[in-house]
Amino acid sequence: MSQDRSPDPRLANVLLLLASLGFGLAVVCGVGWWLAARGPVHLADLDPEARRQLGWELMSVSPGVYAPASFEPRIGYTLGRRKTITAWNDTFEANALGFRTGPVAKERGTFRILFVGDSWTFGMGVRRHETFAEVAAGMAADHAGLPGPVEAWILALPGYNTPAQVAALRSLFDRLEPDAVVICPTPNDNHSLPKVLANGSLAFGGMEGDAFGDPHPVTYRIHLVDSHRYDERWRVALGQLAEVEAWLGERRIPLMFFFTGTWPEPMVHRLMLEGGLTSPFAITPPTWTTEAWRNPQPVGHPTAEAHRRYARVVYRSLAELLGWGALPDVGPGEDVPLWRRPSAGEAARARGFQAKHTVRGIGTGFDAESPESFRQCVAPSMDCPGGGFGRGATVLVRRRDGATRLSVTVRRLADIPSVYPLDLMVTIPSPAGGSRRSVTVPADGDPDLTFDIDIPGDLRPGVALDVTFEVDAVSLVGSGPTARSLALRRIEQI
């Protein structure tokens, strides 16, 4: 989907920020990338010049260049079709389908490689000819020994997740006529897909479910989490990739996966194994995704030199897969393998990586006033800190050994009295069905309401509990566009 570093543990009151800057609904897609490089942001602490700078940084990541994909809503959006666009360190013309790549029609005799992905595959921060897709196609033209031209067609945009990528590949396949396909997953491709605002920027709404089955949009601030819903969302993504793999196999189209972004190798093996995926795959070495290989913030994505290294991995993998000529200029330390099948031994290590990241980033309780709460919020439209949410929200709480229940405290919001009494449903999903608790928030009396919910017994200590809140009514807060219902104050384990 996009940039995949764990963000700074400090946090930002993004909803207040965006409402004041006039971005509308909720969280601009680029804010996840942008927050990785910034600390707390409260508009009251900023002078007018600082606010303008903040707005520029946000628009640098999610500029007003997108258009809804009305021809296939599951894709979500494209760039403005046939428009000249200046964004992400480049000026280019989007083609007839709204992508930064070549013409739609394929010339006779051309070998077209279709690259499917998100901002890493798009090449956010570099020019089109510097992307690993274009560089790899150039290497193929020079060394593959094919009789005609070789072309990279980049079916990728910032913010795309797996369902959007799969929908784009399926719906445009016949028009694009690829001869080979490279699908490029990143660690946050199990996040929700943003929507296009009226100004052409991207945002997450807070009022609807998503393609993975959650009742509201979801983004993980930590991209390796040991939680039931995190794993379930990847299972949905993997199921769609497996269907595409079989679909391309029926059409005799060669397929490989190139895992871009910062992937722990064991996690890739686990996903390939659990998803039943059988295509060859290569993995970007994490050392090629560090700050030294990235453009400065707010873009923060790989440099042109990093793309050249990625391109050599892709070319050598395709050459091994398709019998092309060897690449003569392999540098030291660049012998990245093409895996023909996942390693069960490597996959077994993945849980350790998830557990380590969960312990490091997810607390055993939740305090809305704590800066650490930002890491625990997976609903992008939720206030963290503050705890305010709209139609739905989810926070992560790491299960403590010996705890059997959660004590949850929510607070009625004084400036939206019309929504109370309010019905609230709290769930903790689990493989065995999870637990549920229904409560009614009264219209008067103590503004704080505290209640308990059982922790499902099949969720072991150390995992992150997905504590999900859903309400039956919301209201706009003040004069802004932010829909709210309640504020989550704290969660404690008992």
Side-chain angles (χ1 to χ4, degrees), residues 116 118 136 154 166 181 183 303 381 418 468:
V116 183
D118 59 18
I154 304 174
V166 168
V181 174
I183 297 178
T303 62
S381 60
S418 61
T468 299

Side-chain angles (χ1 to χ4, degrees), residues 84-140:
T84 300
I85 291 170
T86 297
W88 309 302
N89 302 337
D90 192 17
T91 296
F92 58 92
E93 184 171 348
N95 67 14
L97 290 176
F99 293 92
R100 185 181 70 162
T101 193
V104 177
K106 185 175 75 170
E107 293 186 7
R108 180 183 294 274
T110 296
F111 189 95
R112 175 175 281 179
I113 311 168
L114 186 62
F115 290 84
V116 183
D118 59 18
S119 57
W120 284 68
T121 308
F122 172 88
M124 188 175 179
V126 301
R127 292 169 292 178
R128 171 185 155 192
H129 73 270
E130 296 174 315
T131 63
F132 70 78
E134 291 282 357
V135 176
M139 293 174 178

Side-chain angles (χ1 to χ4, degrees), residues 190-210:
N190 67 336
H191 291 198
S192 297
L193 184 72
K195 298 184 182 300
V196 181
L197 297 180
N199 71 345
S201 293
L202 299 179
F204 292 106
M207 307 290 284
E208 71 287 328
D210 73 351

Side-chain angles (χ1 to χ4, degrees), residues 128-481:
R128 171 185 155 192
H129 73 270
E130 296 174 315
T131 63
F132 70 78
E134 291 282 357
V135 176
M139 293 174 178
D142 293 338
H143 303 291
L146 295 171
V150 182
E151 178 188 54
W153 212 98
I154 304 174
L155 187 61
L157 281 177
Y160 271 12
N161 60 9
T162 296
Q165 295 165 25
V166 168
L169 172 58
R170 283 183 173 272
S171 64
L172 300 176
F173 179 87
D174 289 338
R175 294 187 65 179
L176 299 182
E177 303 179 272
D179 298 288
V181 174
V182 182
I183 297 178
C184 308
T186 61
N188 55 358
D189 280 356
N190 67 336
H191 291 198
S192 297
L193 184 72
K195 298 184 182 300
V196 181
L197 297 180
N199 71 345
S201 293
L202 299 179
F204 292 106
M207 307 290 284
E208 71 287 328
D210 73 351
F212 296 93
D214 278 288
H216 58 78
V218 167
T219 61
Y220 292 93
R221 272 70 182 211
I222 298 173
H223 293 147
L224 282 177
V225 179
D226 190 3
S227 91
H228 172 63
R229 281 303 305 159
Y230 177 87
D231 287 347
E232 284 299 305
R233 293 174 69 88
W234 267 121
R235 289 189 184 98
V236 172
L238 294 168
Q240 294 188 4
L241 292 177
E243 291 176 358
V244 163
E245 183 181 68
W247 186 74
L248 291 173
E250 293 170 358
R251 288 155 179 78
R252 300 184 182 277
I253 302 297
L255 168 66
M256 68 163 283
F257 292 98
F258 177 47
F259 285 81
T260 55
T262 308
W263 282 101
E265 190 170 289
M267 190 67 180
V268 173
H269 286 270
R270 180 193 156 202
L271 294 179
M272 291 292 295
L273 197 65
E274 292 185 356
L277 299 170
T278 59
S279 297
F281 64 98
I283 308 167
T284 304
T287 54
W288 297 358
T289 66
T290 60
E291 289 297 331
W293 297 97
R294 294 189 189 233
N295 285 295
Q297 294 292 342
V299 173
H301 276 56
T303 62
E305 177 54 33
H307 276 270
R308 284 191 287 273
R309 288 203 170 200
Y310 305 164
R312 289 194 285 270
V313 174
V314 171
Y315 176 79
R316 291 200 307 275
S317 298
L318 287 173
E320 182 178 334
L321 177 63
L322 301 176
W324 291 349
L327 192 65
D329 57 344
V330 177
E334 294 187 30
D335 52 345
V336 177
L338 176 67
W339 293 87
R340 293 286 182 163
R341 61 182 61 84
S343 163
E346 286 293 312
R349 298 172 53 214
R351 286 292 182 191
F353 280 87
Q354 287 181 266
K356 180 179 70 174
H357 283 264
T358 302
V359 169
R360 181 182 300 169
I362 306 299
T364 57
F366 177 86
D367 179 354
E369 300 303 320
S370 169
E372 302 303 316
S373 67
F374 175 71
R375 292 179 171 180
Q376 297 174 257
C377 298
V378 301
S381 60
M382 184 178 181
D383 292 329
C384 284
F389 63 91
R391 184 73 68 179
T394 297
V395 298
L396 302 176
V397 177
R398 178 164 46 88
R399 184 176 185 181
R400 178 170 53 80
D401 193 10
T404 60
R405 289 174 294 157
L406 298 183
S407 175
V408 180
T409 300
V410 296
R411 178 171 295 173
R412 191 170 62 242
L413 301 178
D415 49 357
I416 53 170
S418 61
V419 303
Y420 308 109
L422 179 71
D423 289 335
L424 169 65
M425 176 63 71
V426 183
T427 60
I428 305 175
S430 76
S435 59
R436 301 168 63 87
R437 178 69 193 273
S438 177
V439 298
T440 298
V441 180
D444 50 24
D446 190 337
D448 285 358
L449 175 66
T450 299
F451 56 90
D452 294 350
I453 180 172
D454 292 335
I455 298 174
D458 57 323
L459 296 177
R460 67 187 184 283
V463 304
L465 307 174
D466 308 279
V467 188
T468 299
F469 300 82
E470 298 177 71
V471 300
D472 64 349
V474 296
S475 180
L476 295 181
V477 176
S479 59

